[in-house]
Amino acid sequence: MMHSPADVDALIPLPPATFHILMAVAEEERHGYAIIQHVEASTGGDLRLSAGTLYRSIARMLEQGLIIESMKRPAKAIDDPRRRYYRITPFGKAVARAEARRLTQLVRLARAQGLLTEPA
Amino acid sequence: MRWYRALLHLYPASFRDEYGDELSAVFARTHGGASAPGRALAAIVDILPNAIAAHWEIFRQDLRYCARGLRRAPGFALTAVLVVALGVGANTAAFSLADFVLIRPLPFPRSDRLVRVNGDNDISPGVYRDWKRMTKSFEAMGAFNFLSANFVAQPEPQRVDGARVTADLLGVLGVRPMIGRTFTDSDDRPGTTPTIVIAYGLWQTYFGGDPGVVGRAVNLDGTPHVILGVMPATFNFPNRQTRFWKPFQFAATDYEDRDNSWIFAVGRLHDGVALAQARSDLQLVTSQLEQQDPRERDRAGAPPYLLRDGVSRQARLLLQTLCGAALCILLLACANLANLLLARAVGREREMSVRAALGAGRERLVRQLVTESALLAVLGGVVGVLVAMASVPPLARLAPNTLPLASEPTVDLRVLVFAAVLTAITGVVFGVIPAMRVGRVSPVEGLREGARAGGRRQRARFVLVTVEVMASVVLLISSGLLVRAMLRVQATSPGFRTDGVLTLRTQLPLPQYEAVAHRSAFYRRVLTGVRALPGVSSAAYSTGLPMAMRGGIWDVSIAGRPVVRDGSQSASARFVTPQFFKTLGIPLRQGRDVEESDGIDRPFVAVVSEDMVTRYWPGENPIGKRFTFGPAGERSVVGVVGNVRVRGLERSSEPQVYLAYQQVDDGSIIGYIPKDLAIQSSAPARTLLPAVRRIIREADPEQPISGVRTIAEIVADETASRLAQLRVLGVLAAIALLLAGVGIHGLLSFMVSQRSQEIGVRLALGARPAGIVRMILREGVFLATAGVVPGVAIAYAAGRAMQSLLFGVRPADPATLLAAVVLCSAMAVVGSLLPALRATRVDPARVMRAE
């Protein structure tokens, strides 16, 4: 599927859960529970996604083309056939990058206004 | 975990199928360590908001998809919305009126306990007092009668309607005044200072809503009355014209004459007492009274009825007809919508099959189709409510004036709820059925090249179109019958001329005008002035104008003949000045008119109608015959005039007797004092009226003028409710015909497109286009016939049900039936013509290639 820059802009700003899930599957393919664990660890326990929020986000992100289901499976010994693995798409990467840029600009602005004293 | 699995059903099925297992697995891992109640709570917190959000997302997706789809088929969308709007609009309007008149409780506390004690009949104060004392079913009882009075106010005096009431009546009804107080027993005693309670409307218009109005004196019929209080705006008893209330102040003599019935009793039933019990209670009291006087049986006229049911049979029937017609329209609208959706669903079968093949679940497809029909229905419902809002004010004229209702009918919350329910039924029920059918088609079947709609669906559409034709035939015939009835009523001659006569009322107040000489001076002064105006050819005063005053019936007896008191020997009594017959164009057949010289000192004369002669002196010369006429005593006939329909175009009237206005005793004929001025003039009312007003002001500056209208308007009022009803029914019938035409057209167009191959083959094999046209037209005529036959049968039943509205036109009136059938057939032919022509344009080569 081809996506234009306008498609990217249409999704910005991203809901926080979506952004975190995108980052979680950007590094490597992950299944649902792994995403929850990753998000929790990377936010220092601040964000604990519930099962419902996670899969509702996944359903929407699949539809929007931000992520796809991966066909690659881990080694038989550690695989659970019920699990599905997701990875980020190039479009998902573009959207995540755009969102990161937006947040950076916000932080820069806040610093210029003297709202932030130490480097973020 | 079973709890979590159960809760998963809150999610949309497609979502649950896709992620249910994983959701459970993840939930089990994240909440495995928690206690059972903790897990249950967490499951609810997790699933409930997410399920709602998931449904909402799908809904928004479907809505976007629908909007796109409908934009691609604007004709379909517009037709569907309009069809729903018509159905919902017509029914919402009809319901708001019916609810207002027939269903809604009256604006009194515990109004279901309120009863008209003697039906519509009046009783005498004596009988009323005995009933009130002797009955046990009533918590309280009060009485009223109608009254109007000259109200002297700025800028000019007015005639206002009011009611006389017993002091306790307002209490019986349970309504408190907004400011001030109502009557007490002391106000009801004769000889005390006259008092009144005024209506909100009068308070606003004449006193600018001034709260200090209580205690002020107003001039009513020349006597000062102290205002005790103001009733709230919702209080309209006995009807919506009532502007003030005044206590009866019965004198001892009022109780003596038990045959003089002139008041109406209202009672409040004890809790737990049914209407039937009250009826037997009243019967018991009557038989007790009968032991003292056998005539008491006649004085108890009618059984009691609930105040709420005080709607005339005619008004009720009229509303029922309206509701029936509206339901017909709804039926048509639903059939049309279902047909449109079915056709669209069939047309999209391949699209659906492709989507199903691509993995969309059946639930998802059905859900989306239902969203589409719901969207159409909601749009239609909104437009329909707008239609209803626009049509309720003109429809409100159909509401009878006889009920003490709180306000004008409007589209309010109740009505909107009704409209919403209607919309939901139309949209969901008639949307789900076609959607379910689509869901059942297997992808393979739908994808197969050349797949054609199954016969079952065709039959469903056929039945729907037949129902449409049927409903439109019923409406056509019903309104046709009513048109015929109205033409008949209008063709009835009233017995007097209806053009160029202006009328107005100057009700002379008593006791100032008790003396005949005083009154006569007023009449002579006004009539002399008016007759001298340019363009005026004649003018006269009378007790009442035909159709404006319908009652006023006195007994007739002739010396030497047996006296019958069954009401058959009676005539309407009118006191008139000279020129009355000339002014109204009532032909003088024999003898002479009443003359100025017919004074109190001259022989008492009467002019009678032809019916009077036929009844009492058939084949004889009536001139000089003598008869005794009610309280007027003996009179002799000096003239005979044509019959007049005093009681209106649709009812038979008693014979008429006209008496000379000066031949009465002072203070005797209260209620019959001439008050209506009729002026025959070639000048338009607009230029005539100011001059007439000036003349009356000169004769008596405190005398108000009311009821200015032409004779033509009085006669038109006779058919006004019929006309209003007919317009409504006519519009509904036209809509129905149009909808049925659209239905036939839609079905045949669809059939032609489905059978284009067959038609192509026929054309290729040498069939002539004319033959193809005949084939399609035949289908159309068949559809029409299948609907017309049951339609005529139902219309006949409907016609019998509303026979009392038909003024003698028979429900099986051949001309009406024929006209309706011809119209329907024409509609069927027009509806099938376009598809038939399209069929002839099928290109055989192209169709065969596609195969």
Side-chain angles (χ1 to χ4, degrees), chain A residues 31-33 36-37 48-56 58-60 62-63 69 82-84 86, chain B residues 4 11 15 17-19 21-23 25-27 29-31 45-46 49-51 53-54 57 61:
Chain A
H31 58 80
Y33 185 60
I36 292 179
Q37 283 177 314
R48 286 198 58 170
L49 293 174
S50 74
T53 311
L54 174 73
Y55 281 102
R56 205 160 52 74
I58 285 178
R60 195 182 54 236
L62 281 168
E63 195 146 322
E69 215 181 305
R82 282 181 312 180
R83 279 181 190 159
R84 280 190 274 186
Y86 303 96
Chain B
Y4 188 84
Y11 279 112
F15 186 81
D17 293 348
E18 191 73 21
Y19 300 109
D21 289 342
E22 279 167 277
L23 279 165
V26 168
F27 185 78
R29 290 186 73 163
T30 46
H31 292 83
V45 170
D46 180 19
N50 279 306
E57 272 165 28
Q61 238 176 53

